[in-house]
């Protein structure tokens, strides 16, 4: 009998945070963001064994450079591919949708992962995630007992913590120089977007809708989208709340945001129109001024290299007059 273990968040929140697929609204012009020079083609050979402390506080010893990798969450997968490890990835979660190559990689399950499938893939390292601790811990213990090296990646809630995640995955896989180059590139992009945002003359208030059924969910402080709004010099109308929170429609109307951004456009048809026609929303400034936009959920939610893309897309939606030149 196959053994499945629960891993991660509830199905509803998983759909919001993991399965979002792309929005096309806001400005679509290419924004020129400078990046550092390409990393050197000759990369020094990494030294193993490597000992790292994971999210559980345990020391994990990686004896040799991994040649077969299982990633249990999309953000880890995106980091691994960006590090140039695509050919080594033998298993990914059911939620993985980027890059396109993940469609051809063996799937190991989603919130409920298949222990026996992972073991059969004979990975040298399994990248789990802190968000899966709790319900999935017993399954991770099964993997460890089977002799697999399991590294639980810390939950990242800021750009700085994402930089740390990229660095540690690079250390665990022997891709340290590649990791450094990615972090440097992201830092340059964030700084340039922030500098461009300094040209904003009048700060706009923004409501971000990340879920609408059965309740409307938004993003408060301590989330990537809140940090992004700060970077682009915008006000989050839910910034006085913490984490992912539900917000009553009447409270949204009372907040009267100048811009509404939805991340549901990739999997809900006419997500913007649904918001515009919602009862009581006709007098909201964002609706009156037709400033309701859809952005791709994954780059603004997943703690990985595409966060800077999400930051720029959000900036274009909120301040097209500044970021569409």
């Amino acid at each position: 009998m196959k053994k499945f273990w629960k891993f991660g968040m509830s199905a509803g929140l998983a759909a919001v945070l993991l399965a979002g697929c792309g929005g096309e609204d806001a400005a679509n012009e290419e924004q020129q963001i400078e990046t550092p020079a390409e990393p050197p083609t000759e990369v020094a050979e990494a030294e193993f064994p490597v000992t790292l402390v994971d999210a559980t506080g345990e020391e994990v010893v990686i004896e040799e450079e991994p040649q077969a990798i299982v990633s249990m969450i999309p953000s880890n997968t995106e980091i691994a591919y960006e590090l140039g490890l695509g050919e080594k990835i033998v298993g990914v979660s059911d939620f993985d949708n980027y890059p396109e190559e993940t469609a051809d990689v063996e799937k190991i399950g989603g919130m409920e992962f298949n222990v026996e499938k992972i073991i059969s893939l004979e990975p040298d390292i399994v990248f789990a995630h802190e968000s899966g601790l709790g319900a999935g811990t017993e399954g991770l213990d099964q993997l460890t007992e089977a002799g697999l090296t399991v590294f639980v990646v810390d939950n990242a809630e800021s750009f700085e913590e994402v930089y740390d995640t990229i660095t540690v995955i690079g250390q665990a896989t022997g891709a340290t120089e590649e990791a450094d180059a990615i972090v440097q590139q992201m830092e340059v992009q964030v700084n340039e977007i922030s500098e461009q945002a300094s040209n904003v003359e009048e700060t706009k208030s923004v409501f971000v809708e990340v879920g609408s059924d059965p309740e409307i969910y938004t993003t408060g402080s301590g989330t990537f989208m809140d940090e992004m709004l700060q970077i682009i010099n915008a006000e989050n109308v839910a910034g006085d709340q913490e984490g992912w929170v539900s917000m009553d429609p009447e409270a949204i109307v009372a907040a009267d945001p100048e811009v509404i951004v939805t991340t549901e456009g990739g999997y809900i048809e006419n997500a913007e129109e649904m918001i515009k026609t919602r009862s009581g929303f006709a007098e909201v400034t964002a609706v009156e001024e037709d400033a309701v936009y859809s952005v791709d959920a994954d780059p603004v939610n997943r703690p990985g290299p595409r966060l800077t893309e999400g930051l720029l897309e959000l900036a274009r939606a909120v301040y097209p007059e500044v970021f569409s030149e």
Side-chain angles (χ1 to χ4, degrees):
M1 179 181 295
K2 294 180 180 179
K3 293 184 179 179
F4 289 84
W5 295 99
K6 290 184 181 293
F7 186 81
M9 58 204 76
S10 68
L13 196 53
V16 170
L17 302 183
L18 297 178
C21 296
E24 297 179 349
D25 290 326
N28 288 317
E29 298 177 26
E30 287 295 325
Q31 186 79 22
Q32 296 300 317
I33 297 295
E34 296 180 7
T35 58
E38 291 294 321
T41 54
E42 294 184 5
V43 179
E45 185 176 349
E47 295 184 3
F48 284 85
V50 171
T51 301
L52 301 168
V53 178
D54 74 357
T56 67
E58 296 293 327
E59 288 190 348
V60 179
V61 179
I62 305 164
E63 297 290 351
E64 298 179 346
E65 181 175 333
Q67 301 301 313
I69 299 169
V70 165
S71 172
M72 300 184 69
I73 196 168
S75 55
N76 289 347
T77 303
E78 292 195 19
I79 291 171
Y81 271 94
E82 193 69 17
L83 289 171
L85 304 171
E87 293 184 357
K88 296 182 177 182
I89 299 175
V90 297
V92 296
S93 82
D94 292 351
F95 290 113
D96 280 77
N97 57 6
Y98 186 90
E100 293 181 357
E101 292 89 333
T102 58
D104 300 322
V105 180
E106 196 76 36
K107 301 301 184 292
I108 54 89
M111 291 175 293
E112 295 185 4
F113 58 92
N114 189 331
V115 172
E116 292 185 0
K117 167 65 73 174
I118 296 173
I119 294 172
S120 72
L121 295 173
E122 300 182 349
D124 298 313
I125 191 168
V126 176
F127 285 116
H129 195 264
E130 185 178 4
S131 62
L133 296 178
T137 300
E138 189 173 355
L140 297 179
D141 289 342
Q142 290 274 343
L143 297 177
T144 302
E145 291 168 4
L148 301 184
T149 299
V150 177
F151 187 89
V152 182
V153 176
D154 286 283
N155 185 40
E157 297 179 339
S158 67
F159 276 86
E160 286 296 331
E161 290 177 355
V162 171
Y163 301 155
D164 291 341
T165 297
I166 293 170
T167 297
V168 77
I169 291 179
Q171 293 171 335
T173 58
T176 54
E177 293 195 19
E178 293 87 342
D180 289 343
I182 293 169
V183 170
Q184 290 173 18
Q185 176 174 305
M186 291 181 69
E187 289 175 332
V188 167
Q189 292 171 334
V190 170
N191 289 337
E192 290 185 345
I193 293 171
S194 178
E195 183 177 349
Q196 192 163 352
S198 67
N199 296 319
V200 171
E201 296 180 356
E202 294 186 8
T203 299
K204 293 181 182 179
S205 60
V206 182
F207 175 74
V208 180
E209 187 164 309
V210 298
S212 60
D213 186 23
E215 298 177 285
I216 298 175
Y217 271 85
T218 189
T219 173
S221 63
T223 63
F224 289 115
M225 295 199 72
D226 182 67
E227 184 179 11
M228 288 176 177
L229 290 173
Q230 293 179 43
I231 291 171
I232 67 171
N233 197 18
E235 176 192 354
N236 180 3
V237 299
D240 59 342
Q241 303 183 64
E242 185 175 355
W244 307 95
V245 294
S246 62
M247 194 164 177
D248 187 85
E250 293 182 359
I252 301 170
V253 173
D256 193 26
E258 296 168 272
V259 178
I260 295 177
V261 174
T262 175
T263 64
E264 294 191 294
Y267 48 94
I268 292 182
E269 187 175 358
N270 298 321
E272 301 99 315
E273 289 302 316
M274 181 183 70
I275 293 172
K276 293 176 184 178
T277 58
R278 187 176 288 153
S279 176
F281 274 54
E283 297 181 359
V284 173
T285 299
V287 175
E288 288 183 329
E289 298 185 358
D290 197 26
V292 180
Y293 305 109
S294 176
V295 299
D296 190 343
D298 295 343
V300 295
N301 286 331
R302 289 184 182 172
R306 288 197 295 160
L307 277 178
T308 51
E309 295 179 23
L311 177 62
L312 182 55
E313 186 178 3
L314 185 64
R316 288 170 173 166
V318 177
Y319 296 116
E321 68 278 8
V322 175
F323 287 90
S324 296
E325 299 176 356

